[in-house]
Amino acid sequence: SQELRISSPKDEGPIDYTAGLYYFWQGQKTNQYSEYSNDPAGLIAFGPLLPGKTQLVKARLRTHSYAAFAQANWHIQDDLTLTVGVRNTLEQKTLALYRDLGHTTAPGSLVPNLDSTGVSPKNNNVSWTAALAWQVEPDINLYTSYAHGAKAGATNNAPPPSIPLARAPLV
């Protein structure tokens, strides 16, 4: 991740501010290997899977996130401050999945033994805040604030073996 910001000097006027840009990148690789037992109870839990078979899921996830933000404090009086801020975040995740069920699925199943897919959801979220603070006494501060925040979506890189790989269960 990397952040670049600019801030005004404190105590040099009625307004101070901070603004900046943020970038985040993450790469993740997972390999999940499962081996199913011969226990009949396990067969019931995993539906169409047959005993003694295996499953291999390879997932590759990349995340790119960009944000621009700004916040300002207006010192209306020595004891009264209004704060406003905004942040716009654009995030894109790219997930590639490959699954080899090792001939684990039952005959006639809709789940293929070899399956792969990819999804690339993109989220653009605007978060903001507004607050008014009154310093009644040196040890007493009354304030009210209102804010809206957002979180980017997630991806599922470990889908259940009983469903075909498709966009719906992954985002």
Side-chain angles (χ1 to χ4, degrees), residues 8-17 73-76 78:
S8 65
K10 295 256 183 201
D11 302 326
E12 294 210 7
I15 296 176
D16 59 77
Y17 60 87
N73 298 306
W74 176 27
H75 306 284
I76 301 167
D78 288 343

Side-chain angles (χ1 to χ4, degrees), residues 48-67:
L49 299 176
L50 298 176
K53 298 295 183 171
T54 62
Q55 170 185 249
L56 173 64
V57 177
K58 293 181 180 183
R60 304 296 180 259
L61 175 65
R62 286 192 206 128
T63 302
H64 292 272
S65 181
Y66 310 87

Side-chain angles (χ1 to χ4, degrees), residues 19-92:
L21 301 171
Y22 176 78
Y23 171 71
F24 172 79
W25 178 87
Q26 179 182 32
Q28 174 186 350
K29 293 179 181 180
T30 59
N31 295 314
Q32 176 188 3
Y33 177 78
S34 302
E35 188 171 318
Y36 299 100
S37 79
N38 292 319
D39 180 7
L43 294 177
I44 293 169
F46 291 108
L49 299 176
L50 298 176
K53 298 295 183 171
T54 62
Q55 170 185 249
L56 173 64
V57 177
K58 293 181 180 183
R60 304 296 180 259
L61 175 65
R62 286 192 206 128
T63 302
H64 292 272
S65 181
Y66 310 87
F69 59 90
Q71 180 168 308
N73 298 306
W74 176 27
H75 306 284
I76 301 167
Q77 302 177 68
D78 288 343
D79 59 353
L80 188 63
T81 302
L82 174 67
T83 301
V84 293
V86 66
R87 177 186 178 103
N88 187 53
T89 304
L90 173 64
E91 183 168 293
Q92 181 164 12

